[in-house]
Amino acid sequence: MVPKLSIQNVSFDYGDGATALRNISLDIMPHELFVLFGPSRSGKSTLLRLLNRLSDLLPVGQMHGRILFDGQDIFARGTDVFDLRRRIGMVFATPTPLPGSIYENLTYGLKMAGIKDRRVLDERVARSLQQAALWEEVKDRLADSAFALSGGQKQRLCLARSLALEPEIVLLDNPTSGLDPISTSIVEESLYELKQQYTIVMVPHSMQQAARVADRAAFMLDGEIVEVGAQKDLFVYPQDKRTEDYVSGRFG
Amino acid sequence: MATYEEIEQTREDTAVSPTPRRRNGRELIIEGLILASGVSVIIIITLIFLFLLKEGLPAFTSQPISTFWGRRWYPIEETYGLLPLLAGSLLVTVGAVVIAVPLGLTTAVYLGEFAPDWLREILKPLIEVLAGIPSIVLGFLGWVALAPLIQNMGAPTGLTAFTGSLILAYMALPTIISITEDALYAVPKEYRDGSLAIGATHWQTVWRVVLPAARSGIVIAIMLGVGRAIGETMAVMLVTGNAANIPELGLGMMFQPIRTMTATIAAEMGEVAQGSTHYSVLFAIGIVLFIITFLVNSLATRLIGGRPKQRGAQL
Ligand SMILES: Nc1ncnc2c1ncn2[C@@H]1O[C@H](COP(=O)(O)OP(=O)(O)OP(=O)(O)O)[C@@H](O)[C@H]1O
Ligand SMILES: [Mg+2]
């Protein structure tokens, strides 16, 4: 099978001498939920931000290697980076509704993409909210300020916001941080539905969450990938000593 | 802004501690001092207002209110129509706002969002220096440099409402620019990320996300900037021709000499007999100014959308 995303020998540093990513190679398959886990500062967010070129915003920073999306180098000259970010959506750890109503939050990206037809907008709003398991809670108050939502609802709103663009890949950087267990399980459940339609790369909130939701996973340490494998291989029969130590809770 | 409300809310929550702490004498003294200075400000403002009323109210009893609605300000003939002065103040101020607000906001957005670092390093200190120029110097500059320029462009005289607006706008600009830029800078980085991550361009992000998020800060910037300009008297007096006539409505309106309320007080207070009608009318103008300022302030508070307290949280 052709990988959806192919990360080939990628290294990255923030321009401060320290290497944030060292020679990363990974293939991510269509419709899988791929989990990147590892201790803090191991470079998970850095890698995720490279995948939709949010790293472009850094004043400095140097990247080596290639990242192929459907076989196309995303850093190639002439790539429409705005279109790329519509096709590879991203949700961050801190839920950040934009100023405005719930409806406006969801249609913002679509309008930026030039979609103005009210019917299309309404339909996308409803569908993305359903996919993010938020529809029932907000369907009667779409005109309310997005700030009036609870933390868990805001997080699902941000998820819905990127789903509204019907991306091909969704990058989730710790999407359940700060959520209560019930909201967390709602989000985790919706992940099963989502991967039927999307490819998901996720940085989990905890090792337990990684083990619960992953199809395949990679263990990262100090900017390197220590081990990649299917959920069972990695969490039950890890090959590398460092993975075993981390998975069994001996460090990290 | 809801986010600031939340911050404010948690502040209030933490501020109320149910168990009274043991208070030593030192703390009591400090609290007393703070209370005293707070109360004294209120007392001083009240006294100023009472003084204004005491000196100004006789103007309203010594002659029918309708006099003030007159179109002629001619104290020698005991004719005290306020309309020309009101019109003058209004023209100059509105003109200044119309010039300063778009110019200030676009400059701030350019500086804060688009300018390369080296240019920002040069421009920011320059703008701070502009804020420090005494207003009378600006007025003088307007008089010797700006006024002839405007006359050359075809106006009957260079000393016009427009000249005054330009000078006032120039005075308001540094404040508007630097406070707006601070407000833009204070917008959480996550907002930008959130917008860019769904494919918005830098400009779309600024226009649709950063500016709305910084709204209350921007309103404060405009208020403070215009506030600095609105009370300005001498500089405006120098460049507006000092003629108390109602400008004819129309395109040329801005290019006629006018006179503002503040300039009238400044120019005439020195030569009136204390207690005369003219004297109390000048104080009545002060009352009118006081009321206008109050209205503008409450309007701004409403615009910011919330109790004045939240403005503190924003800044
Ligand atoms: N904007 C930045 N500028 C400079 N260095 C950065 C920046 N962001 C991250 N780093 C550095 O890169 C390294 C990897 O950070 P990264 O945020 O990718 O880790 P992470 O695995 O996501 O950690 P966490 O689990 O805490 O989110 C760290 O050493 C961090 O200090
Ligand atoms: Mg991270």
Side-chain angles (χ1 to χ4, degrees), chain A residues 41-85:
Chain A
R41 298 160 64 83
S42 55
K44 306 174 299 275
S45 303
T46 306
L47 181 56
L48 229 49
R49 284 169 159 270
L50 280 177
L51 298 182
N52 70 348
R53 286 187 58 178
L54 270 187
S55 54
D56 287 8
L57 307 175
L58 294 165
V60 286
Q62 225 184 351
M63 191 196 117
H64 298 282
R66 297 202 302 168
I67 297 175
L68 303 186
F69 170 37
D70 281 342
Q72 300 284 321
D73 186 346
I74 63 168
F75 283 91
R77 200 167 296 162
T79 305
D80 180 350
V81 55
F82 306 110
D83 184 58
L84 178 81
R85 290 185 191 141

Side-chain angles (χ1 to χ4, degrees), chain B residues 55 58-59 62-63 78 80 273-283:
Chain B
E55 302 290 326
S62 65
Q63 52 208 299
E78 303 255 304
Y80 301 110
Q274 196 168 357
S276 66
T277 312
H278 190 183
Y279 174 86
S280 53
V281 170
L282 289 184
F283 272 96

Side-chain angles (χ1 to χ4, degrees), chain A residues 59-143:
Chain A
V60 286
Q62 225 184 351
M63 191 196 117
H64 298 282
R66 297 202 302 168
I67 297 175
L68 303 186
F69 170 37
D70 281 342
Q72 300 284 321
D73 186 346
I74 63 168
F75 283 91
R77 200 167 296 162
T79 305
D80 180 350
V81 55
F82 306 110
D83 184 58
L84 178 81
R85 290 185 191 141
R86 287 181 200 117
R87 293 168 62 197
I88 306 184
M90 181 152 186
V91 180
F92 304 92
T94 16
T96 52
L98 304 172
S101 69
I102 296 173
Y103 186 87
E104 283 164 350
N105 263 270
L106 292 164
T107 52
Y108 174 76
L110 295 166
K111 284 189 178 152
M112 297 296 106
I115 298 175
K116 298 216 164 60
D117 185 342
R118 184 73 196 213
R119 276 206 320 268
V120 178
L121 293 177
D122 286 349
E123 183 248 333
R124 295 275 189 103
V125 165
R127 189 139 47 99
S128 60
L129 282 173
Q130 279 157 1
Q131 287 179 326
L134 189 59
W135 175 247
E136 288 304 322
E137 290 157 63
V138 301
K139 65 181 179 199
D140 299 322
R141 44 189 285 219
L142 292 177

